[in-house]
Amino acid sequence: MRRGKRYRAAYEKVDRAHQYPPAEAVELLKQTAGTKFDETVELHIRLGVNVRHAEEQLRGTLALPHGLGKDVTIVAFAQGDKAKAATEAGADFVGGDDLAERIEGGWTDFDVAVATPDMMPVVGKLGRILGPQGKMPNPKVGTVTDDIAKAVEESKAGKIEYRTDRQAVIHLAIGKASFDADKLLANYAAVIDEIVRAKPAAAKGRYLISITLATTMGPGIRVDTSRTREAEILPAANGGDGAADADTQPEPEASEAAEGAAA
């Protein structure tokens, strides 16, 4: 693919053979963001799991401490008092059959869908539309619940869903290029902590294969996979640059799976 002058200039700033400490990676990422719009910061994590086995697939949610830097549009499937609670919590669209018919007609201009359990017979019909977009309500990630107000509030506050794809890669947005570096680092640390905590018991061998940061239009920047604790990520936690006490960098991975998705 032919790249523009801006991308090539940003690409030249990145050492492809180096895994950067998290703080350095974020600073470099901000230097390579130069478009006229506020680019999304993407995080791509390749895991050493076999996703053909259900017990090694990852799926869950987490709340980013500093959100995503964008307004989250939420639809809520609820009736009666639950519908009122969803509206008061900030849901943008609330309904039942009428909302389902609108989605069946091709409207999907929203980010998150939540539902009460009694509405699932209606929502279930939308699986072929919402499933491929990652918007299908699911009790495992808290988007099918009787506490619909809490689900709406958490989604508005920056709660995000993650899951491994067929290549065992997790793709997430963790903020905007305009975020202060410390806020991006805090969001990054929250994601890494969650992914490490969620390591499947059946997973064998090396777990974190590669981690790549990138902006929407920027080159991938490899991050040191050995630095997973908060003290190794956040400069304020160790009084340094997020590099802890390590003097050497691990060997770079041969696979470009995560970076290829980011660049």
Side-chain angles (χ1 to χ4, degrees):
M1 181 187 297
R2 187 175 180 82
R3 300 286 190 175
K5 184 185 296 185
R6 191 204 67 81
Y7 179 91
R8 293 197 301 271
Y11 184 90
E12 291 175 359
K13 295 180 180 180
V14 180
D15 184 348
R16 303 275 291 177
H18 185 60
Q19 290 190 12
Y20 293 87
E24 288 185 19
V26 167
E27 288 294 344
L28 182 58
L29 177 139
K30 290 180 69 65
Q31 292 175 26
T32 59
T35 60
K36 295 181 180 179
F37 66 94
D38 193 6
E39 297 178 70
T40 295
V41 175
E42 303 170 355
L43 177 61
H44 306 269
I45 307 170
R46 181 170 173 250
L47 300 176
V49 297
N50 186 346
V51 293
R52 290 177 294 178
H53 299 158
E55 66 272 16
E56 294 191 43
Q57 297 174 7
L58 269 69
R59 182 172 186 177
T61 60
L62 74 148
L64 296 176
H66 298 289
L68 290 172
K70 70 171 186 177
D71 292 331
V72 179
T73 302
I74 299 174
V75 301
F77 291 90
Q79 301 179 99
D81 290 341
K82 299 291 186 182
K84 181 180 179 181
T87 300
E88 292 176 347
D92 299 279
F93 303 93
V94 181
D97 289 326
D98 55 332
L99 195 55
E101 289 176 5
R102 187 176 177 186
I103 292 173
E104 286 180 322
W107 177 75
T108 58
D109 191 18
F110 55 88
D111 301 299
V112 179
V114 299
T116 53
D118 62 296
M119 294 301 297
M120 287 312 291
V122 174
V123 180
K125 301 174 183 178
L126 306 175
R128 61 183 176 80
I129 300 173
L130 300 183
Q133 297 183 26
K135 298 177 181 178
M136 186 67 182
N138 188 313
K140 293 182 179 179
V141 296
T143 47
V144 177
T145 175
D146 280 316
D147 195 348
I148 195 79
K150 181 180 178 181
V152 171
E153 290 170 353
E154 289 182 339
S155 295
K156 283 288 187 180
K159 184 178 180 180
I160 59 174
E161 180 180 349
Y162 66 86
R163 65 191 302 177
T164 44
D165 66 10
R166 293 180 179 179
Q167 286 72 47
V169 180
I170 291 174
H171 308 274
L172 289 171
I174 63 168
K176 294 289 186 178
S178 62
F179 277 25
D180 291 339
D182 59 343
K183 291 183 178 180
L184 286 173
L185 275 175
N187 281 356
Y188 173 89
V191 173
I192 298 302
D193 179 73
E194 168 66 16
I195 300 305
V196 171
R197 183 200 61 78
K199 179 181 179 180
K204 305 298 181 183
R206 188 175 179 184
Y207 181 53
L208 295 175
I209 302 300
S210 66
I211 301 175
T212 304
L213 279 169
T215 57
T216 305
M217 304 297 290
I221 300 169
R222 292 190 174 197
V223 187
D224 186 353
T225 58
S226 71
R227 292 166 183 167
T228 59
R229 299 191 299 274
E230 184 177 285
E232 299 169 324
I233 295 174
L234 303 179
N238 56 45
D241 61 356
D245 296 322
D247 294 319
T248 59
Q249 299 291 328
E251 290 297 318
E253 294 296 324
S255 173
E256 295 290 328
E259 185 167 350

